[in-house]
Amino acid sequence: MEEVSYIGEHIWLGQLGHFALVAAFVSAICASWAYYKSLKGETSWLSIGKTAYITHGVSVFLAIGLLLYAMVSHYYEYDYVFRTVSDSSQMKYLLAAFWADQEGSFLLWMFWHVILGWIFIAKGKSWTAPTMVTLALIQVFLTSMLLGVFMPFVEGDFKIGSNPFILVRDVYLNSPIFTNADYLTQIEGRGLNPLLQNYWMTIHPPVLFLGFASVSIPFSMAIAGLSSDRHIEILSPMLKWGLFSGFILGLGILMGAAWAYEALTFGGYWAWDPVENTSLVPWLIMIAGIHTNLIAKSTKYSIKSTYAYYLLAFIMILYSTFLTRSGILGDTSVHAFTTMGLETQLAAFIILFAGLGIYMYITRHKTIPVKPNEENIYSREFWMFVGALVLFFSALLMTGSTSLPVYNKIVELFDPFYTPIAIDDPMEHHNKFQIWIGIFMGLLAGTAILLRYHAANWVNYESKLSKYLISISTISTVLTFLLSQVIDTYTWQHYVFLFAGLFTIIANGTYIVSFLKGNLKSSGAAFSHIGFGLLILGIMFSGLNQKTITAARFLQSDFAAGQAEDRAIVLLKNQPFPTTDYWINYKGDTLIDNLRYYELAFSKVNSDNEIVESFTSWPSSLYNKEMTKIAADNPGNNRNWTYDVFTAASPPPHVRDLEERDRLEDSLKYLSHIVKVGTVIDEEKYTYQVHQPIYNYDFTGGEHNDSSSYDLTVGIPMDITLKRTGEVKRVVPGLALKNALVFQIPEVIDELGIKIKVPDTAFAKIFTEEDQLDYQDVQLENGASANWNGYQITLAGFDRSGNYENYQAQEGDIAIAGILNISAPSGDQITQKPVFILRNAQQFSLKDYDAKSGLHIRFSNIDPETQKMTFRVAQDDRSNDEVELLIANDVPRSDILIVESNIFPGINLVWLGCLMMLGGLLLSLIYKKQQTKA
Amino acid sequence: MKKTHIIALVMMAAAIVMLTMSSKDLSTFSTFAKAELDGERVKVSGQLSKSDPMVYDPEVDANYFSFYMIDDNDDKRKVAIRESKRYDFERSEKIVVTGKMNDDGVFEASEMLLKCPSKYKDEELALRKQASAVDS
């Protein structure tokens, strides 16, 4: 292709950005190497490592800053900007757009590694160097994902990394637009997917990626610990980072669940989607690691498993990244990233770090001190260890099921005729297993916390503990029975699950009150366990008692497959509809910016027909930036202390999309009706009467809601009487002129399924064309009056300003407007300003027209001697009292709304439980920090 | 052997047993032809046939949507599902339906997964459009 020199590109930015990424890559290698060397006793390398990592961080920040700058400046020559930003993008979604795609989210991940690394350099003390070796190495690999270097001498398009600063014209190589040097003026970015234009998209990814990044620290520390002989010494700092990681990663996942609940996947906070599972797995392993780390710190047991869990947590983060970003989940997940062409690199990433972990563990585990006797079966450490195993077991099951697509891919490699398999109903599959995990966890978390490390003084403690356990179990049993009356427990497993939840709440509550004497600072663990118990209750309430209130009360039987129930209902405007719990009334809608809000009034009545509860739900539709179609729906949520009501509303297809509407319009059959003004016409379901046309009719507001400004309009008022109800409706279909184009403004009467239009051809009949007009002269002196066909015309003065409608001044023009005050026979007062122009010794006149009276007036001559002005006056021929209308029948209603509403009881227990679990981790972290300082 | 190790091994074994026993939770990706033959509940993946009619008329039934789908064996069948028409259904690149073939040769789906394109590599670049609000 010929070299074109393009106009308006900002090439320097991409070059600088790519340079920053290469610098980040090189400096990360330097940092890792320097820190490694420093471990060999050469302390001079330490400051080199530090400088290199600081340089690395600055380079990463520079790359991020440049990409953000390109996005703010709408530099569409960059593919990443083109993909995520559009002209109408709002600043508040800038960050959301930044991490919406692969490269940006890698940068976000790297950003947190930089921050955490810097903190570690400042605070890590003797652990800094050995930890930073691995952390910097991780950064080497993450940076390599963004290098965008094509490998020479390798077959195919093998490339290392995907450069976020790649140009649009290097992506769409064959697009003809790039033959144009000025192509930038012709392209506009696509903008952020409307589904992601959400505040959750601004806050969820940074927290989740901080969570991801935080897992690297316990991993790097575990490598550091294994390579040193200081296995005991590392337990305390490693626990703090583990707690931090457990807290922040958990928060990130929880935010994802809250987003799913609120907006994305209508119908729940957790769907066992592979993307969700693979983020939960590292967290579960991290929590297992925290537990064994606690054991190790207090008893010196379980040091090996602590290392193993921390190593595995990071490897599972990498595996999760591989699954969600390689495109391998394709058929099984709704929200996986699209492929970036870096599967091989991601797989290599996992193998390398897994290899590093396994190698370190195998070669070094013999140096880990082992206690001669095994754990006492009545000790806390024994049961805590079992609890950690249960967590690991849960992660194992989840990973196994989620890895099915990987299994399929591998088998396909060897057997081309293999048909891939998938889990039929992931919800049922996972719930079936994980309910048992929940049960064991609840029982263990309640029991282990009451036991003592090393089973200290067991002889005396045994009877005390038995009493506690017996009374806690009794209370839990009674409460299980009571609660099962309000929860729809279906199977005996549900009873056991409920019992386990209550057991852990009461046992841990007892622990805080009776054992810690209310010392909240050291009650982090018990606090988390109570949170877990509340989560179980929340899962039971919201999961089992959840129902679709719009579901049909009688299942339709003609549809055999599955137990599909009819979930949606159709609401007609202002016709309240009874559902299982509420009457729902669709009262109307309001457009605010590009969001259309539907007003749905919910009310619950008792047997005496009195309203006992009422509220309004506001689901909405988000239009695309051209306002031609609805791009996303937001459910309306009504939050209460004990239950939430979620309502999704959607207008019918022909209202959602202009294209659909045009298709529908084309399919309508209009019949012409020529009707006399004033006559009542009788149809099957209605009668109608047409009135005199209204000129300059205002179509803005009301049912038309047409905000365009027109040059000229006419409305044909009609009264339509519905035979069924006797109701009379006034509608005004019409025509409008704008820039010499005629627009039809139709009316739809939804109750009758009819649509009424005025044909374009009627325009010429209503407004007489110039050559059909019969102009007559009226001569006036300034201040004089004359009568024309009953109109009293007075020449009130002149306007010499030169600012007249439709007038463009030219050099040498003499232009003057006569101001005519006219009294119409109807009593109306009209002011007209026709213009007289003398241009190049030739006379012209600019007509003024009054649509209402139909008067056309020209200012045609000035006699300088007599001071007489000649005006030419004509009027539209309105003697014809017939109007042509086009009426179509069987028009689909547009005043309907398809509504699905769900009620989630006890959902706040889920949130409260999760927040308490995380709060407990935070509490422990703060407590541990204070302990170290003291 | 330590007790904790025994418990760990037992759990590992249990996990493997549970995962292998859950084979009845699995279904294979099938084709319309096979689904018709054995009448089993299967998953079929394919594409929307854009030239054939899609029926969704909320005034008649808000919970009935039908369309034509071409499976991976180029076999075109009518698919019906009891739910309202999903947003941007036309744009779906790939459809995975789970259900059974009925006696009339219509595939009755109880679940449907849509894969929408989030990148348009092959498409033409979006040109700057003049905002136009033309009323019909």
Side-chain angles (χ1 to χ4, degrees):
Chain A
M1 205 164 92
E2 197 182 338
E3 201 61 32
V4 187
S5 79
Y6 294 104
I7 302 166
E9 288 184 339
H10 307 79
I11 296 295
W12 62 270
L13 187 142
Q15 286 171 341
L16 187 59
H18 195 222
F19 170 76
L21 288 171
V22 174
F25 179 67
V26 175
S27 53
I29 295 176
C30 290
S32 184
W33 179 251
Y35 277 120
Y36 179 71
K37 287 296 262 185
S38 78
L39 293 178
K40 307 283 173 198
E42 299 171 57
T43 43
S44 58
W45 284 97
L46 211 57
S47 63
I48 299 175
K50 185 175 167 182
T51 314
Y53 201 79
I54 290 172
T55 313
H56 166 75
V58 172
S59 309
V60 170
F61 286 6
L62 179 63
I64 291 172
L66 286 168
L67 190 54
L68 276 173
Y69 181 75
M71 290 172 74
V72 175
S73 317
H74 294 193
Y75 290 169
Y76 296 131
E77 60 267 39
Y78 291 103
D79 184 49
Y80 200 82
V81 180
F82 181 75
R83 255 147 51 191
T84 53
V85 179
S86 75
D87 285 354
S88 55
S89 288
Q90 291 170 278
M91 271 305 275
K92 64 176 174 181
Y93 295 128
L94 173 70
L95 291 176
F98 177 78
W99 44 64
D101 220 327
Q102 297 255 31
E103 292 86 348
S105 60
F106 269 118
L107 280 170
L108 175 62
W109 193 357
M110 285 159 59
F111 170 85
W112 288 123
H113 274 145
V114 168
I115 299 285
L116 292 177
W118 285 356
I119 293 174
F120 211 88
I121 289 171
K123 303 257 179 184
K125 298 193 186 102
S126 66
W127 291 109
T128 301
T131 307
M132 289 304 294
V133 175
T134 315
L135 190 64
L137 191 65
I138 295 170
Q139 280 297 77
V140 171
F141 276 84
L142 280 181
T143 320
S144 79
M145 303 302 297
L146 300 176
L147 277 184
V149 182
F150 283 88
M151 294 298 288
F153 318 119
V154 182
E155 259 183 81
D157 268 353
F158 188 77
K159 61 170 182 172
I160 290 184
S162 167
N163 177 11
F165 295 99
I166 195 163
L167 293 170
V168 153
R169 57 184 159 90
D170 290 332
V171 176
Y172 304 88
L173 286 172
N174 300 317
S175 182
I177 192 165
F178 298 118
T179 54
N180 182 353
D182 200 18
Y183 78 96
L184 269 179
T185 56
Q186 287 166 32
I187 62 169
E188 186 198 341
R190 290 203 194 94
L192 186 61
N193 182 341
L195 290 172
L196 300 180
Q197 292 182 17
N198 189 299
Y199 67 98
W200 285 110
M201 189 60 196
T202 307
I203 57 174
H204 166 57
V207 177
L208 187 69
F209 277 98
L210 175 56
F212 276 22
S214 69
V215 179
S216 302
I217 304 276
F219 174 81
S220 304
M221 289 184 86
I223 301 275
L226 280 168
S227 62
S228 74
D229 284 325
R230 297 145 70 197
H231 302 293
I232 307 293
E233 213 180 307
I234 200 165
L235 291 171
S236 179
M238 203 156 61
L239 176 62
K240 275 181 239 160
W241 282 101
L243 286 167
F244 172 72
S245 183
F247 168 70
I248 221 66
L249 182 61
L251 190 63
I253 299 168
L254 176 64
M255 285 166 106
W259 184 6
Y261 174 69
E262 196 178 284
L264 268 186
T265 49
F266 176 72
Y269 51 88
W270 200 261
W272 296 114
D273 183 276
V275 172
E276 298 170 343
N277 296 351
T278 58
S279 67
L280 187 62
V281 163
W283 186 78
L284 288 172
I285 297 172
M286 182 58 70
I287 298 299
I290 291 171
H291 280 86
T292 52
N293 198 342
L294 271 168
I295 300 173
K297 206 172 149 255
S298 308
T299 68
K300 313 290 178 290
Y301 283 110
S302 297
I303 300 175
K304 282 183 194 170
S305 24
T306 305
Y307 280 139
Y309 285 135
Y310 283 154
L311 293 175
L312 191 61
F314 177 68
I315 292 162
M316 291 318 288
I317 288 275
L318 295 183
Y319 184 58
S320 155
T321 307
F322 171 75
L323 283 182
T324 49
R325 289 171 188 254
S326 66
I328 201 164
L329 292 178
D331 290 345
T332 48
S333 170
V334 258
H335 48 343
F337 281 88
T338 45
T339 160
M340 187 172 154
L342 300 174
E343 297 77 19
T344 328
Q345 207 176 340
L346 280 166
F349 202 174
I350 302 176
I351 292 166
L352 232 126
F353 281 94
L356 175 68
I358 293 166
Y359 172 78
M360 289 306 291
Y361 188 83
I362 289 176
T363 53
R364 300 287 306 167
H365 82 280
K366 290 217 170 68
T367 65
I368 300 169
V370 180
K371 301 229 345 182
N373 49 337
E374 55 178 294
E375 296 93 332
N376 186 310
I377 196 160
Y378 300 115
S379 69
R380 183 189 272 182
E381 59 267 27
F382 180 83
W383 292 106
M384 256 171 99
F385 180 84
V386 174
L389 266 184
V390 174
L391 284 166
F392 173 67
F393 182 68
S394 163
L396 200 66
L397 283 175
M398 232 178 269
T399 308
S401 305
T402 311
S403 300
L404 218 49
V406 181
Y407 171 80
N408 283 339
K409 267 265 152 38
I410 295 171
V411 179
E412 262 173 358
L413 282 179
F414 298 102
D415 176 9
F417 299 106
Y418 169 78
T419 40
I421 49 174
I423 293 168
D424 200 17
D425 183 355
M427 284 292 259
E428 195 210 318
H429 168 82
H430 286 282
N431 283 342
K432 186 170 70 187
F433 294 134
Q434 300 295 339
I435 191 171
W436 286 106
I437 304 286
I439 290 167
F440 282 123
M441 300 262 299
L443 298 179
L444 286 169
T447 316
I449 198 127
L450 296 176
L451 291 166
R452 294 168 171 181
Y453 282 125
H454 302 296
N457 204 4
W458 175 249
V459 187
N460 295 330
Y461 187 59
E462 189 179 0
S463 63
K464 185 182 171 191
L465 180 73
S466 315
K467 277 184 213 143
Y468 269 115
L469 286 181
I470 289 167
S471 42
I472 292 166
S473 306
T474 315
I475 300 170
S476 304
T477 312
V478 173
L479 282 176
T480 303
F481 175 75
L482 291 175
L483 277 177
S484 68
Q485 304 302 304
V486 283
I487 300 179
D488 300 323
T489 36
Y490 295 113
T491 61
W492 62 271
Q493 286 98 328
H494 289 149
Y495 287 96
V496 184
F497 192 45
L498 192 56
F499 173 83
L502 288 164
F503 179 82
T504 203
I505 293 172
I506 297 165
N508 283 282
T510 311
Y511 179 72
I512 293 177
V513 176
S514 315
F515 290 69
L516 298 175
K517 309 283 180 232
N519 178 4
L520 282 178
K521 260 203 248 165
S522 51
S523 60
F527 210 71
S528 286
H529 291 170
I530 293 176
F532 179 70
L534 289 174
L535 173 63
I536 291 184
L537 295 191
I539 291 171
M540 296 283 287
F541 267 109
S542 65
L544 296 173
N545 281 18
Q546 170 204 343
K547 68 176 173 185
T548 306
I549 58 179
T550 47
R553 283 190 256 191
F554 307 103
L555 281 179
Q556 297 199 336
S557 52
D558 58 335
F559 203 82
Q563 299 83 39
E565 59 171 356
D566 291 354
R567 303 172 67 89
I569 52 167
V570 171
L571 291 183
L572 299 171
K573 205 182 260 180
N574 289 320
Q575 290 192 24
F577 188 94
T579 66
T580 50
D581 292 59
Y582 298 95
W583 283 80
I584 310 177
N585 188 9
Y586 166 36
K587 295 177 92 165
D589 58 66
T590 328
L591 187 68
I592 300 172
D593 295 331
N594 58 344
L595 274 167
R596 188 179 294 281
Y597 289 91
Y598 307 101
E599 182 181 2
L600 298 179
F602 281 65
S603 53
K604 190 180 256 181
V605 292
N606 62 13
S607 51
D608 296 329
N609 224 17
E610 291 159 339
I611 293 175
V612 289
E613 185 194 345
S614 67
F615 58 86
T616 305
S617 183
W618 297 92
S620 61
S621 295
L622 174 70
Y623 283 85
N624 64 0
K625 58 182 193 230
E626 294 89 13
M627 296 294 285
T628 52
K629 64 184 280 192
I630 292 172
D633 294 308
N634 303 316
N637 48 41
N638 297 88
R639 300 237 154 126
N640 296 290
W641 280 108
T642 51
Y643 63 91
D644 286 3
V645 180
F646 265 61
T647 310
S650 156
H654 65 274
V655 180
R656 293 185 72 88
D657 189 343
L658 270 190
E659 267 177 50
E660 283 284 340
R661 194 186 67 179
D662 292 347
R663 251 200 300 279
L664 176 76
E665 182 67 28
D666 291 343
S667 71
L668 293 179
K669 287 181 187 65
Y670 284 98
L671 294 176
S672 168
H673 297 254
I674 295 170
V675 292
K676 255 193 158 49
V677 168
T679 323
V680 176
I681 316 276
D682 195 33
E683 294 282 345
E684 191 191 333
K685 289 181 189 158
Y686 59 98
T687 63
Y688 68 97
Q689 186 182 23
V690 175
H691 301 285
Q692 286 292 349
I694 302 176
Y695 298 91
N696 287 338
Y697 186 77
D698 185 9
F699 288 109
T700 57
E703 288 292 304
H704 291 290
N705 216 354
D706 188 336
S707 55
S708 317
S709 61
Y710 296 108
D711 300 334
L712 199 57
T713 62
V714 61
I716 312 286
M718 300 171 66
D719 285 322
I720 297 177
T721 311
L722 279 63
K723 284 186 181 169
R724 196 171 58 85
T725 57
E727 188 194 348
V728 181
K729 286 184 91 81
R730 160 63 64 108
V731 294
V732 189
L735 292 172
L737 186 76
K738 188 180 187 178
N739 302 332
L741 279 176
V742 179
F743 294 90
Q744 294 179 332
I745 299 178
E747 281 274 15
V748 175
I749 296 105
D750 283 310
E751 293 94 319
L752 299 168
I754 58 170
K755 187 167 180 177
I756 306 168
K757 291 201 296 194
V758 181
D760 299 355
T761 49
F763 203 82
K765 285 181 192 156
I766 295 164
F767 302 102
T768 312
E769 285 169 54
E770 189 69 15
D771 56 359
Q772 302 289 317
L773 288 171
D774 178 22
Y775 278 107
Q776 289 167 339
D777 284 0
V778 175
Q779 288 193 330
L780 286 170
E781 281 173 62
N782 193 7
S785 295
N787 188 301
W788 184 86
N789 281 0
Y791 290 88
Q792 190 69 28
I793 305 173
T794 309
L795 177 56
F798 299 97
D799 176 358
R800 294 182 171 83
S801 67
N803 300 322
Y804 319 121
E805 223 178 306
N806 301 326
Y807 171 66
Q808 276 187 324
Q810 275 188 18
E811 186 82 22
D813 270 6
I814 296 169
I816 181 168
I819 302 169
L820 298 174
N821 289 337
I822 303 165
S823 295
S826 62
D828 283 352
Q829 291 296 325
I830 309 159
T831 301
Q832 293 286 85
K833 280 164 80 174
V835 184
F836 173 81
I837 304 163
L838 198 62
R839 179 178 289 171
N840 300 332
Q842 276 191 302
Q843 295 181 356
F844 295 93
S845 69
L846 273 181
K847 179 170 88 171
D848 203 358
Y849 173 68
D850 175 53
K852 195 177 178 198
S853 59
L855 283 183
H856 301 250
I857 303 183
R858 289 180 177 279
F859 188 174
S860 63
N861 194 20
I862 302 175
D863 187 336
E865 283 174 26
T866 57
Q867 291 292 314
K868 283 220 160 124
M869 316 292 150
T870 309
F871 295 91
R872 295 173 66 76
V873 186
Q875 196 173 16
D876 287 335
D877 176 14
R878 290 179 179 169
S879 58
N880 188 350
D881 60 351
E882 280 184 341
V883 178
E884 186 184 356
L885 294 171
L886 298 174
I887 302 180
N889 286 306
D890 300 325
V891 180
R893 300 182 76 120
S894 45
D895 65 340
I896 60 171
L897 211 53
I898 300 140
V899 172
E900 181 183 331
S901 190
N902 284 279
I903 188 161
F904 290 90
I907 190 77
N908 281 335
L909 279 175
V910 172
W911 308 131
L912 178 70
C914 289
L915 287 173
M916 273 184 78
M917 266 202 289
L918 301 177
L921 289 170
L922 194 63
L923 202 63
S924 303
L925 177 63
I926 294 165
Y927 180 58
K928 296 271 158 11
K929 276 197 100 72
Q930 283 181 347
Q931 270 186 326
T932 331
K933 274 190 192 136
Chain B
M1 215 173 184
K2 286 171 69 178
K3 283 192 280 292
T4 47
H5 290 175
I6 296 168
I7 293 180
L9 283 177
V10 168
M11 279 192 165
M12 298 269 203
I16 293 162
V17 170
M18 278 167 111
L19 283 176
T20 43
M21 290 222 333
S22 62
S23 61
K24 65 172 177 349
D25 290 358
L26 302 174
S27 57
T28 52
F29 282 95
S30 187
T31 58
F32 285 135
K34 270 201 238 167
E36 192 158 48
L37 217 64
D38 49 24
E40 298 276 294
R41 187 177 143 85
V42 289
K43 272 188 193 320
V44 181
S45 91
Q47 291 176 315
L48 172 69
S49 169
K50 289 188 177 155
S51 53
D52 286 295
M54 280 178 273
V55 175
Y56 180 62
D57 189 348
E59 278 184 73
V60 176
D61 189 343
N63 294 287
Y64 178 87
F65 174 52
S66 77
F67 58 94
Y68 285 83
M69 182 175 135
I70 305 163
D71 73 5
D72 295 340
N73 272 9
D74 273 343
D75 190 4
K76 186 166 80 184
R77 296 300 171 92
K78 186 174 171 179
V79 177
I81 185 162
R82 286 220 67 85
E83 61 172 42
S84 48
K85 186 182 168 190
R86 304 240 189 118
Y87 152 72
D88 248 5
F89 182 79
E90 294 85 349
R91 277 188 52 215
S92 63
E93 229 170 29
K94 196 167 185 189
I95 304 170
V96 181
V97 284
T98 313
K100 279 180 186 172
M101 198 63 92
N102 74 5
D103 300 339
D104 306 326
V106 176
F107 190 84
E108 290 181 348
S110 59
E111 261 165 70
M112 179 163 72
L113 193 77
L114 300 181
K115 202 73 188 160
C116 285
S118 34
K119 262 187 185 174
Y120 321 80
K121 283 271 181 199
D122 306 325
E123 269 181 40
E124 206 38 49
L125 287 174
L127 294 187
R128 211 176 275 269
K129 275 186 205 146
Q130 291 265 288
S132 59
V134 180
D135 216 303
S136 64

